[in-house]
Structure formats: C-alpha cells, structure tokens
Amino acid sequence: MAQVTLKGNPVQVNGQLPQVGSKAPAFSLVGAGLADVSLASLAGKRKVLNIFPSVDTPTCATSVRKFNAQANDLANTVVLCISADLPFAQARFCGAEGLENVQNLSTLRGREFIENYGVAIADGPLAGLTARAVVVLDENDKVLHSELVKEIAEEPNYDAALAVLK
C-alpha cells in the first residue's frame, strides 16, 4: 500500500506500481465502441500509460492534452489515457479538444488493472478511482519508467516519462 495526497490530505492507494525493469502485468480495458483492448493487442509498440481519476478534472485534462501534443514525436509509441470515464465521455472530451494522438481506455471492465498496477484509491472522496500515475513500457512490455504522482492534483513528470523513449 502506498500513500499519496489529494489537496494535501492523505489518501491510501492499494497495490504497488510496476517497477522499472519488471514485466508489465497483462490487462484488458474498454476502448472506443466498448471494445476490449488488451495489452497483448499492442504488442510491438512502446506504450505510455497515462493513468488518472477522470478526464473531467483540470489536471487530468491537462495531462491528456500534454501527452497528445508530444505523441507525434514518439516513434512506434501509443499513448494510452486510462481512467474510470466511460469511452463515450473520453471520446467527447478528445473530440471537443481536437486530440487525435492518444487512445482512451476505461476501467469500466478489467478492474483488476487498478489493483495490478497499484493505482487503486482505497479511501477519501476518490475511493474506487485510480491515482495519478505514468508507466512507460517498451515493445516487449518491460517497464522503462514508473511514477505514482504523490499529489493527485499535480501533473506527472512528463519529461522523465518521455525521456526513456528518446
């Protein structure tokens, strides 16, 4: 169990984020059109997992925008924006913002992802959602970068996450 904060208040997070050098746990989450998208279906691509509570919060929306802006510069890389939002809400947000370089995934199904990736908020007002984290994987799903953001209301370290892909 890890501890982060939400606006300075302690929040418990269940599980442990995958560590650098380890093999990322398999997952299946819900993508566009309610289709299941597995980690295995992205084999051979590098992956940036941008994990956050909801695209309807300012910091989460900012992280999607920033990763979208930098995704074009990343060869053979897919940016996965993972939250509890339904695929319809994720698509509406990206459509309204003109964001086309990220792929949205919902924890609607595949809730084991939340535990297996160590991002399950266990208490506080966001209990049941995911903590803010970034996990970067190589083409073979080896973890290159792993960050559990200590303050949920703050942005991740984009430079550190993307530096492992350059």
mmCIF file with all atom_site columns, all heavy atoms in Angstrom, residues 7-18:
data_model
loop_
_atom_site.group_PDB
_atom_site.id
_atom_site.type_symbol
_atom_site.label_atom_id
_atom_site.label_alt_id
_atom_site.label_comp_id
_atom_site.label_asym_id
_atom_site.label_entity_id
_atom_site.label_seq_id
_atom_site.pdbx_PDB_ins_code
_atom_site.Cartn_x
_atom_site.Cartn_y
_atom_site.Cartn_z
_atom_site.occupancy
_atom_site.B_iso_or_equiv
_atom_site.pdbx_formal_charge
_atom_site.auth_seq_id
_atom_site.auth_comp_id
_atom_site.auth_asym_id
_atom_site.auth_atom_id
_atom_site.pdbx_PDB_model_num
ATOM 1  N N   . LYS A 1 7  ? -4.969 17.277 -2.499  1.00 0.00 ? 7  LYS A N   1
ATOM 2  C CA  . LYS A 1 7  ? -5.006 18.629 -1.940  1.00 0.00 ? 7  LYS A CA  1
ATOM 3  C C   . LYS A 1 7  ? -4.479 18.644 -0.511  1.00 0.00 ? 7  LYS A C   1
ATOM 4  O O   . LYS A 1 7  ? -5.058 19.251 0.380   1.00 0.00 ? 7  LYS A O   1
ATOM 5  C CB  . LYS A 1 7  ? -6.405 19.213 -2.050  1.00 0.00 ? 7  LYS A CB  1
ATOM 6  C CG  . LYS A 1 7  ? -6.843 19.336 -3.499  1.00 0.00 ? 7  LYS A CG  1
ATOM 7  C CD  . LYS A 1 7  ? -8.190 19.966 -3.656  1.00 0.00 ? 7  LYS A CD  1
ATOM 8  C CE  . LYS A 1 7  ? -8.527 20.045 -5.135  1.00 0.00 ? 7  LYS A CE  1
ATOM 9  N NZ  . LYS A 1 7  ? -9.842 20.537 -5.410  1.00 0.00 ? 7  LYS A NZ  1
ATOM 10 N N   . GLY A 1 8  ? -3.389 17.881 -0.310  1.00 0.00 ? 8  GLY A N   1
ATOM 11 C CA  . GLY A 1 8  ? -2.714 17.843 0.976   1.00 0.00 ? 8  GLY A CA  1
ATOM 12 C C   . GLY A 1 8  ? -3.236 16.811 1.958   1.00 0.00 ? 8  GLY A C   1
ATOM 13 O O   . GLY A 1 8  ? -2.598 16.540 2.970   1.00 0.00 ? 8  GLY A O   1
ATOM 14 N N   . ASN A 1 9  ? -4.398 16.221 1.690   1.00 0.00 ? 9  ASN A N   1
ATOM 15 C CA  . ASN A 1 9  ? -4.974 15.228 2.593   1.00 0.00 ? 9  ASN A CA  1
ATOM 16 C C   . ASN A 1 9  ? -4.501 13.827 2.205   1.00 0.00 ? 9  ASN A C   1
ATOM 17 O O   . ASN A 1 9  ? -4.547 13.460 1.031   1.00 0.00 ? 9  ASN A O   1
ATOM 18 C CB  . ASN A 1 9  ? -6.503 15.289 2.540   1.00 0.00 ? 9  ASN A CB  1
ATOM 19 C CG  . ASN A 1 9  ? -7.016 16.632 3.004   1.00 0.00 ? 9  ASN A CG  1
ATOM 20 O OD1 . ASN A 1 9  ? -6.654 17.101 4.079   1.00 0.00 ? 9  ASN A OD1 1
ATOM 21 N ND2 . ASN A 1 9  ? -7.846 17.270 2.192   1.00 0.00 ? 9  ASN A ND2 1
ATOM 22 N N   . PRO A 1 10 ? -4.055 13.016 3.180   1.00 0.00 ? 10 PRO A N   1
ATOM 23 C CA  . PRO A 1 10 ? -3.558 11.672 2.882   1.00 0.00 ? 10 PRO A CA  1
ATOM 24 C C   . PRO A 1 10 ? -4.624 10.774 2.257   1.00 0.00 ? 10 PRO A C   1
ATOM 25 O O   . PRO A 1 10 ? -5.791 10.807 2.639   1.00 0.00 ? 10 PRO A O   1
ATOM 26 C CB  . PRO A 1 10 ? -3.157 11.117 4.252   1.00 0.00 ? 10 PRO A CB  1
ATOM 27 C CG  . PRO A 1 10 ? -3.100 12.286 5.167   1.00 0.00 ? 10 PRO A CG  1
ATOM 28 C CD  . PRO A 1 10 ? -4.008 13.336 4.592   1.00 0.00 ? 10 PRO A CD  1
ATOM 29 N N   . VAL A 1 11 ? -4.187 9.996  1.260   1.00 0.00 ? 11 VAL A N   1
ATOM 30 C CA  . VAL A 1 11 ? -5.050 9.040  0.556   1.00 0.00 ? 11 VAL A CA  1
ATOM 31 C C   . VAL A 1 11 ? -4.259 7.747  0.414   1.00 0.00 ? 11 VAL A C   1
ATOM 32 O O   . VAL A 1 11 ? -3.109 7.770  -0.031  1.00 0.00 ? 11 VAL A O   1
ATOM 33 C CB  . VAL A 1 11 ? -5.442 9.574  -0.847  1.00 0.00 ? 11 VAL A CB  1
ATOM 34 C CG1 . VAL A 1 11 ? -6.213 8.548  -1.628  1.00 0.00 ? 11 VAL A CG1 1
ATOM 35 C CG2 . VAL A 1 11 ? -6.243 10.866 -0.730  1.00 0.00 ? 11 VAL A CG2 1
ATOM 36 N N   . GLN A 1 12 ? -4.878 6.631  0.783   1.00 0.00 ? 12 GLN A N   1
ATOM 37 C CA  . GLN A 1 12 ? -4.231 5.325  0.652   1.00 0.00 ? 12 GLN A CA  1
ATOM 38 C C   . GLN A 1 12 ? -4.472 4.764  -0.747  1.00 0.00 ? 12 GLN A C   1
ATOM 39 O O   . GLN A 1 12 ? -5.577 4.863  -1.282  1.00 0.00 ? 12 GLN A O   1
ATOM 40 C CB  . GLN A 1 12 ? -4.773 4.347  1.692   1.00 0.00 ? 12 GLN A CB  1
ATOM 41 C CG  . GLN A 1 12 ? -4.520 4.779  3.127   1.00 0.00 ? 12 GLN A CG  1
ATOM 42 C CD  . GLN A 1 12 ? -3.048 4.970  3.430   1.00 0.00 ? 12 GLN A CD  1
ATOM 43 O OE1 . GLN A 1 12 ? -2.203 4.152  3.082   1.00 0.00 ? 12 GLN A OE1 1
ATOM 44 N NE2 . GLN A 1 12 ? -2.717 6.090  4.069   1.00 0.00 ? 12 GLN A NE2 1
ATOM 45 N N   . VAL A 1 13 ? -3.436 4.161  -1.304  1.00 0.00 ? 13 VAL A N   1
ATOM 46 C CA  . VAL A 1 13 ? -3.511 3.552  -2.631  1.00 0.00 ? 13 VAL A CA  1
ATOM 47 C C   . VAL A 1 13 ? -3.089 2.095  -2.494  1.00 0.00 ? 13 VAL A C   1
ATOM 48 O O   . VAL A 1 13 ? -1.993 1.808  -1.999  1.00 0.00 ? 13 VAL A O   1
ATOM 49 C CB  . VAL A 1 13 ? -2.590 4.289  -3.631  1.00 0.00 ? 13 VAL A CB  1
ATOM 50 C CG1 . VAL A 1 13 ? -2.664 3.643  -5.007  1.00 0.00 ? 13 VAL A CG1 1
ATOM 51 C CG2 . VAL A 1 13 ? -2.973 5.762  -3.724  1.00 0.00 ? 13 VAL A CG2 1
ATOM 52 N N   . ASN A 1 14 ? -3.962 1.178  -2.910  1.00 0.00 ? 14 ASN A N   1
ATOM 53 C CA  . ASN A 1 14 ? -3.683 -0.250 -2.801  1.00 0.00 ? 14 ASN A CA  1
ATOM 54 C C   . ASN A 1 14 ? -2.803 -0.742 -3.935  1.00 0.00 ? 14 ASN A C   1
ATOM 55 O O   . ASN A 1 14 ? -2.935 -0.293 -5.070  1.00 0.00 ? 14 ASN A O   1
ATOM 56 C CB  . ASN A 1 14 ? -4.985 -1.065 -2.816  1.00 0.00 ? 14 ASN A CB  1
ATOM 57 C CG  . ASN A 1 14 ? -5.766 -0.926 -1.534  1.00 0.00 ? 14 ASN A CG  1
ATOM 58 O OD1 . ASN A 1 14 ? -5.217 -0.622 -0.479  1.00 0.00 ? 14 ASN A OD1 1
ATOM 59 N ND2 . ASN A 1 14 ? -7.064 -1.147 -1.612  1.00 0.00 ? 14 ASN A ND2 1
ATOM 60 N N   . GLY A 1 15 ? -1.949 -1.694 -3.606  1.00 0.00 ? 15 GLY A N   1
ATOM 61 C CA  . GLY A 1 15 ? -1.107 -2.326 -4.605  1.00 0.00 ? 15 GLY A CA  1
ATOM 62 C C   . GLY A 1 15 ? 0.218  -1.615 -4.743  1.00 0.00 ? 15 GLY A C   1
ATOM 63 O O   . GLY A 1 15 ? 0.542  -0.698 -3.983  1.00 0.00 ? 15 GLY A O   1
ATOM 64 N N   . GLN A 1 16 ? 0.996  -2.063 -5.719  1.00 0.00 ? 16 GLN A N   1
ATOM 65 C CA  . GLN A 1 16 ? 2.298  -1.454 -5.982  1.00 0.00 ? 16 GLN A CA  1
ATOM 66 C C   . GLN A 1 16 ? 2.442  -1.232 -7.471  1.00 0.00 ? 16 GLN A C   1
ATOM 67 O O   . GLN A 1 16 ? 2.188  -2.127 -8.279  1.00 0.00 ? 16 GLN A O   1
ATOM 68 C CB  . GLN A 1 16 ? 3.421  -2.353 -5.475  1.00 0.00 ? 16 GLN A CB  1
ATOM 69 C CG  . GLN A 1 16 ? 4.784  -1.745 -5.686  1.00 0.00 ? 16 GLN A CG  1
ATOM 70 C CD  . GLN A 1 16 ? 5.905  -2.600 -5.130  1.00 0.00 ? 16 GLN A CD  1
ATOM 71 O OE1 . GLN A 1 16 ? 5.673  -3.569 -4.440  1.00 0.00 ? 16 GLN A OE1 1
ATOM 72 N NE2 . GLN A 1 16 ? 7.119  -2.230 -5.449  1.00 0.00 ? 16 GLN A NE2 1
ATOM 73 N N   . LEU A 1 17 ? 2.847  -0.031 -7.834  1.00 0.00 ? 17 LEU A N   1
ATOM 74 C CA  . LEU A 1 17 ? 3.095  0.311  -9.232  1.00 0.00 ? 17 LEU A CA  1
ATOM 75 C C   . LEU A 1 17 ? 4.182  -0.604 -9.786  1.00 0.00 ? 17 LEU A C   1
ATOM 76 O O   . LEU A 1 17 ? 5.145  -0.910 -9.082  1.00 0.00 ? 17 LEU A O   1
ATOM 77 C CB  . LEU A 1 17 ? 3.555  1.767  -9.286  1.00 0.00 ? 17 LEU A CB  1
ATOM 78 C CG  . LEU A 1 17 ? 3.300  2.560  -10.552 1.00 0.00 ? 17 LEU A CG  1
ATOM 79 C CD1 . LEU A 1 17 ? 1.821  2.643  -10.863 1.00 0.00 ? 17 LEU A CD1 1
ATOM 80 C CD2 . LEU A 1 17 ? 3.872  3.949  -10.417 1.00 0.00 ? 17 LEU A CD2 1
ATOM 81 N N   . PRO A 1 18 ? 4.044  -1.072 -11.022 1.00 0.00 ? 18 PRO A N   1
ATOM 82 C CA  . PRO A 1 18 ? 5.100  -1.897 -11.609 1.00 0.00 ? 18 PRO A CA  1
ATOM 83 C C   . PRO A 1 18 ? 6.436  -1.157 -11.576 1.00 0.00 ? 18 PRO A C   1
ATOM 84 O O   . PRO A 1 18 ? 6.506  0.038  -11.866 1.00 0.00 ? 18 PRO A O   1
ATOM 85 C CB  . PRO A 1 18 ? 4.628  -2.107 -13.048 1.00 0.00 ? 18 PRO A CB  1
ATOM 86 C CG  . PRO A 1 18 ? 3.151  -1.900 -13.002 1.00 0.00 ? 18 PRO A CG  1
ATOM 87 C CD  . PRO A 1 18 ? 2.932  -0.865 -11.939 1.00 0.00 ? 18 PRO A CD  1
#
